[in-house]
Amino acid sequence: MALLLGLLCTLCLVGQVLGQDITHEEYLAQIQACPRECSCPPNFPRAVYCDNKGLKSIPKIPPHTWYLYLQNNFIEVLSADALRNATQLRWLNLNRNKITSEGVEEGVLSTKPNLAHLYMDDNLLSSVPSALPASLESLRLSRNRISKIPPGVFIGLDKLNLLDLQANKLMDDAVTEVSLKGLNNLVQINLAKNQLNSMPIGLPPTTTQLFLDGNNIEKIPAGYFKGLPKVAFLRLNYNKLGSSGVPRDVFNVSSILDLQLSHNQLTEVPLIPAGLEHLHLDHNNIKSVSGANICPVAVETMEDSSNESVPRLRYLRLDGNDIKPPIPRDVILCFRLLTSIVI
């Protein structure tokens, strides 16, 4: 009876596995070719887990692998030979290794026509890897030593929607229209904690989320966001922005929903766009706030909170400034949808 139950369980498992777009022959080949240093769960045969194994090199990866986890090792070389058979890769995690730009072997990534997600955070890269596959959707390269973006490295990457380059060594001359060319459908770009002194140029008009925290940016050119008509989430915390370097109406863009300007050197509240919902201005040098100066519409035109002309601001943070409570009445009358003010 026990033998029969065991057989039934095995058949159920195989049935579940075969529902994962893998034939019985492929399943057997995948399990048998699993590297001894790694684990290949029978109920998830497309995944190969080689993380936290103390590896110094990548073992040969089975041909039917979709998900490969190699994070938290001591790997120095992204070997083309080790991944030669893994042409079906969709997800590759190489976070927290010791891979240098010289250690990324030629053709190792471009020969993976299905690779959609590449994680190489916390390595020793000095440049954005190339050549990259056209299938790539997200590229995460935070906390490396990247100071260079090779011209044309993103050309052909029409599916790439997320680019994370935070905590690298990028300067203004590295982030240009030439180096960013090809990012035709980018949604999120993270350039926080680099060495930028100016707002980056050449960002694609599809950009929706722009993160620039922790740089040395002192000013924003007038009309800068006219080239970014879809930007909705903008983070500029921990920069060197003063009110003299921020044109009063520079943020008056209808698409912006969340604006973060904490830990700068602002002395005035910039003009708030009517559609903005969250505003962070804490830890600046602002001494006062007046509805007459910052309200995007005339208060008398707003009859009730259901009126479409009512500014949409719901969250306002002003702590860490020289503003003394209470908040002026005209500010409350203007931003009548506010549910939280931190002062």
Side-chain angles (χ1 to χ4, degrees):
M1 185 65 176
L3 183 61
L4 180 59
L5 287 173
L7 181 59
L8 286 172
C9 288
T10 302
L11 289 173
C12 288
L13 179 60
V14 171
Q16 292 174 358
V17 167
L18 294 181
Q20 299 180 21
D21 297 323
I22 187 169
T23 67
H24 182 61
E25 291 75 17
E26 289 173 342
Y27 170 75
L28 292 177
Q30 181 77 356
I31 297 301
Q32 290 170 1
C34 184
R36 58 180 178 80
E37 304 95 329
C38 311
S39 61
C40 306
N43 61 339
F44 196 30
R46 294 287 193 182
V48 177
Y49 292 89
C50 307
D51 52 307
N52 295 288
K53 303 294 185 182
L55 299 177
K56 293 185 177 181
S57 61
I58 301 174
K60 286 191 181 297
I61 303 302
H64 304 295
T65 303
W66 285 3
Y67 309 98
L68 177 56
Y69 301 92
L70 287 159
Q71 67 269 29
N72 298 317
N73 283 295
F74 303 97
I75 297 166
E76 298 180 1
V77 175
L78 183 50
S79 167
D81 184 59
L83 298 179
R84 191 174 307 281
N85 294 326
T87 57
Q88 299 181 30
L89 267 184
R90 299 184 178 186
W91 188 296
L92 177 56
N93 191 331
L94 288 157
N95 290 346
R96 293 178 292 281
N97 277 285
K98 298 182 179 296
I99 301 170
T100 62
S101 290
E102 295 74 20
V104 179
E105 294 187 351
E106 186 176 353
V108 64
L109 297 170
S110 60
T111 54
K112 306 295 176 284
N114 299 302
L115 186 62
H117 305 281
L118 176 59
Y119 295 76
M120 295 188 73
D121 299 332
D122 297 286
N123 276 279
L124 304 174
L125 299 172
S126 57
S127 176
V128 173
S130 60
L132 297 167
S135 55
L136 208 58
E137 297 176 16
S138 66
L139 177 60
R140 299 179 184 268
L141 302 170
S142 65
R143 294 178 298 280
N144 276 275
R145 301 173 180 178
I146 296 173
S147 61
K148 180 182 178 183
I149 303 175
V153 69
F154 299 122
I155 291 178
L157 302 189
D158 291 334
K159 294 183 178 180
L160 192 67
N161 58 65
L162 185 152
L163 177 59
D164 189 351
L165 287 164
Q166 71 165 313
N168 277 287
K169 297 184 176 182
L170 291 168
M171 302 179 73
D172 294 335
D173 58 357
V175 185
T176 66
E177 191 169 356
V178 173
S179 64
L180 298 180
K181 188 175 182 180
L183 295 172
N184 299 324
N185 292 295
L186 194 71
V187 173
Q188 181 188 120
I189 183 167
N190 192 339
L191 292 165
K193 298 180 181 178
N194 275 280
Q195 298 173 15
L196 301 177
N197 294 315
S198 305
M199 296 292 288
I201 58 175
L203 295 176
T206 55
T207 304
T208 303
Q209 301 174 37
L210 175 57
F211 305 145
L212 293 165
D213 314 77
N215 281 284
N216 301 306
I217 299 171
E218 297 182 3
K219 61 182 180 179
I220 303 173
Y224 178 83
F225 296 104
K226 289 181 179 178
L228 299 171
K230 294 186 177 182
V231 65
F233 301 90
L234 177 61
R235 292 198 331 222
L236 280 157
N237 304 317
Y238 292 97
N239 275 281
K240 297 180 179 179
L241 291 169
S243 290
S244 61
V246 179
R248 189 166 177 273
D249 63 347
V250 73
F251 300 117
N252 194 20
V253 180
S254 61
S255 60
I256 298 181
L257 300 175
D258 188 292
L259 176 59
Q260 299 188 22
L261 297 165
S262 305
H263 294 272
N264 277 280
Q265 299 165 18
L266 299 173
T267 55
E268 299 175 0
V269 178
L271 185 65
I272 299 173
L276 189 69
E277 296 184 3
H278 297 87
L279 177 60
H280 297 247
L281 288 168
D282 55 286
H283 298 91
N284 278 277
N285 299 319
I286 300 168
K287 291 181 169 56
S288 65
V289 55
S290 164
N293 292 330
I294 66 173
C295 190
V297 297
V299 174
E300 56 269 18
T301 66
M302 299 182 290
E303 297 178 0
D304 55 63
S305 58
S306 64
N307 191 320
E308 290 186 4
S309 67
V310 173
R312 313 316 291 176
L313 193 67
R314 289 171 167 78
Y315 179 88
L316 175 61
R317 186 169 175 184
L318 290 165
D319 54 305
N321 285 285
D322 295 326
I323 302 171
K324 300 292 187 288
I327 293 291
R329 184 172 179 271
D330 59 356
V331 173
I332 303 301
L333 285 175
C334 174
F335 302 107
R336 58 189 65 180
L337 297 183
L338 271 171
T339 58
S340 179
I341 303 177
V342 184
I343 188 170

